[in-house]
Amino acid sequence: MKILVGCKLVPEDQDITVKSDGNLDMSKAAPKISQFDLNAIETAVEIKKVNPEVTITAVSVGGKSLENVKSRKDMLSRGPDELVVVADEKYENILPHQTAKVLADTAKDIGFDLVICGDGSGDIYAQQTGVRLGALLNVATLNGVSKIVSIESDKLVVERALENEIEVLEVPFPAVISVSADINEPTIPGMKAIIGAGKKPVNAISIDEEAANLVELVDIKAPKKKERQHIIIEGDADDKIAEFVSHLRKII
């Protein structure tokens, strides 16, 4: 069985600064694996633990950040057997529908039984890539998967937590699933895994076809900060409590 795992590099949060005009400066932010994709990788690794014949290929689409050797090794140290990168300047800051199209073309090219994505990405968290990918591949597609119950040669049994109930679903292969952050706790790779990552293959491929530019990313801005009101209410009488609640309602 061949599992593909979507793996996106996003800027390190703590290195992002806010400019005077509200725009985000990410020029000094080091690339890191999106937290939600770490859950996707860990899910694939857990499946392989009970099915040793499984092979895991991490697939990443992006711009110059994918040239970062440290980032590539970080992806591979998490458990994938190999890494496929689709790197091009035109893929810098691409949107979910474009990412899904490139991933779909890549999946068709290299083959798959199961594709695992995170429910969203650590930057824009649009929650679209996985479901769009499944639609483009015309295979069984599920998002919000919170548990892998069992895996067989022709199907996967999963749980999906809804607001008031838990669904148990059978997903026939081939399939695309998007996993929630609740599905596992990503393992921190040890020294052996980090050293071993340097010996794993990295294949750079190019995809000529891409999705139409349906929308344009204009700006990424931080939300405007509200000025502190410095309202202090002293006392615990009913009228003071009512005044406090009144101020809370204005904020909400």
Side-chain angles (χ1 to χ4, degrees):
M1 177 182 293
K2 187 170 186 177
I3 297 178
L4 306 186
V5 183
C7 195
K8 183 178 183 180
L9 293 181
V10 298
E12 175 61 62
D13 305 31
Q14 61 185 13
D15 296 334
I16 299 174
T17 57
V18 181
K19 298 179 181 178
S20 58
D21 61 357
N23 281 302
L24 300 181
D25 182 4
M26 293 180 268
S27 60
K28 296 181 180 179
K32 69 172 184 177
I33 305 170
S34 171
Q35 180 61 38
F36 304 99
D37 291 341
L38 291 178
N39 295 115
I41 296 172
E42 187 70 18
T43 301
V45 172
E46 289 175 351
I47 291 174
K48 184 169 183 175
K49 285 179 180 178
V50 295
N51 297 271
E53 75 281 2
V54 166
T55 62
I56 304 172
T57 300
V59 182
S60 191
V61 180
K64 291 182 178 180
S65 60
L66 280 177
E67 298 173 4
N68 188 298
V69 176
K70 182 180 178 182
S71 296
R72 292 183 176 189
K73 285 185 177 181
D74 191 17
M75 294 183 202
L76 289 168
S77 70
R78 305 280 174 167
D81 300 297
E82 63 176 344
L83 170 64
V84 172
V85 296
V86 188
D88 195 300
E89 286 186 7
K90 65 185 177 183
Y91 297 144
E92 198 77 52
N93 296 322
I94 61 172
L95 296 172
H97 71 284
Q98 297 167 311
T99 303
K101 183 64 172 67
V102 177
L103 285 175
D105 290 341
T106 304
K108 291 175 184 176
D109 185 43
I110 64 179
F112 70 98
D113 295 295
L114 175 66
V115 182
I116 305 177
C117 301
D119 249 348
S121 61
D123 45 10
I124 59 177
Y125 197 64
Q127 296 180 283
Q128 295 181 19
T129 302
V131 290
R132 284 179 175 273
L133 172 59
L136 289 169
L137 292 172
N138 194 30
V139 298
T141 306
L142 273 181
N143 64 344
V145 174
S146 56
K147 183 179 180 180
I148 304 296
V149 179
S150 65
I151 184 166
E152 299 177 17
S153 59
D154 61 343
K155 68 181 179 181
L156 187 70
V157 180
V158 303
E159 287 186 1
R160 180 163 63 173
L162 304 181
E163 187 174 353
N164 297 313
E165 59 187 9
I166 294 178
E167 292 181 331
V168 179
L169 303 161
E170 289 187 358
V171 190
F173 295 132
V176 175
I177 64 170
S178 299
V179 299
S180 70
D182 298 326
I183 196 166
N184 54 45
E185 186 69 34
T187 302
I188 298 174
M191 186 57 66
K192 183 179 179 180
I194 294 171
I195 294 173
K199 300 176 183 178
K200 294 180 180 180
V202 178
N203 302 311
I205 66 173
S206 59
I207 299 293
D208 295 328
E209 187 180 358
E210 58 183 289
N213 189 15
L214 302 175
V215 293
E216 180 184 356
L217 180 63
V218 179
D219 280 315
I220 302 177
K221 291 189 174 182
K224 292 182 179 179
K225 290 184 178 180
K226 293 184 178 181
E227 294 293 329
R228 290 181 178 271
Q229 297 298 312
H230 298 290
I231 298 173
I232 299 174
I233 299 172
E234 297 181 355
D236 57 2
D238 290 345
D239 60 329
K240 297 297 183 181
I241 295 173
E243 184 182 353
F244 175 71
V245 171
S246 175
H247 285 298
L248 279 180
R249 284 175 177 167
K250 291 178 183 178
I251 295 172
I252 297 172

